Amino acid sequence: MYDEHVIFKCAVLTNIKMESQSTYWLMLVDRLDCLSDQTVFDKAGRIQHIVIDLEKARGHAVFRIKGIDETMLVINLEITESILRRELFGMKIEKVETYSGRLTL
């Protein structure tokens, strides 16, 4: 609904002994090379402070960051607000800094 690049795949799990089925939807999102030069890494190469380059992420409302080991999903404010309205649980939402790369006068 928020991003045309996202693909959803249906997975149906069957438990023969319990005679039950559960349907799950897998969300497959793009991995973008979108980190700004302002992103800070520690000596081991782990991210200390993320800065997303808005130009590189343009057109994507939800994505993962290419080239990092951390399991995180980046979502835009519209999706965040939708999640919060539905009182979903099991996730941690953090604000991420962005950089446009443009000079403003």
Side-chain angles (χ1 to χ4, degrees), residues 80-96:
T80 303
E81 290 172 345
S82 179
I83 289 169
L84 293 172
R85 277 193 302 273
R86 288 166 176 74
E87 298 180 16
L88 299 177
F89 59 92
M91 63 185 83
K92 178 180 176 183
I93 298 174
E94 294 181 30
K95 186 175 181 177
V96 175

Side-chain angles (χ1 to χ4, degrees), residues 40-90:
V40 179
F41 295 89
D42 67 12
K43 291 179 183 179
R46 292 182 302 259
I47 292 183
Q48 292 293 309
H49 180 74
I50 295 175
V51 182
I52 301 292
D53 185 323
L54 289 175
E55 293 300 315
K56 294 177 182 177
R58 182 177 305 284
H60 293 269
V62 57
F63 58 90
R64 294 191 61 196
I65 300 172
K66 186 176 186 176
I68 65 169
D69 292 333
E70 289 85 351
T71 304
M72 66 177 66
L73 192 64
V74 180
I75 58 177
N76 70 7
L77 183 60
E78 191 175 10
I79 295 172
T80 303
E81 290 172 345
S82 179
I83 289 169
L84 293 172
R85 277 193 302 273
R86 288 166 176 74
E87 298 180 16
L88 299 177
F89 59 92

Side-chain angles (χ1 to χ4, degrees), residues 1 7 10 12 19-20 29 38 53 56 62 64-65 67 71 80 97-98 103:
M1 179 164 88
I7 297 169
C10 180
V12 179
E19 297 181 356
S20 64
V29 298
Q38 297 177 359
D53 185 323
K56 294 177 182 177
V62 57
R64 294 191 61 196
I65 300 172
T71 304
T80 303
E97 187 175 340
T98 58
L103 292 175

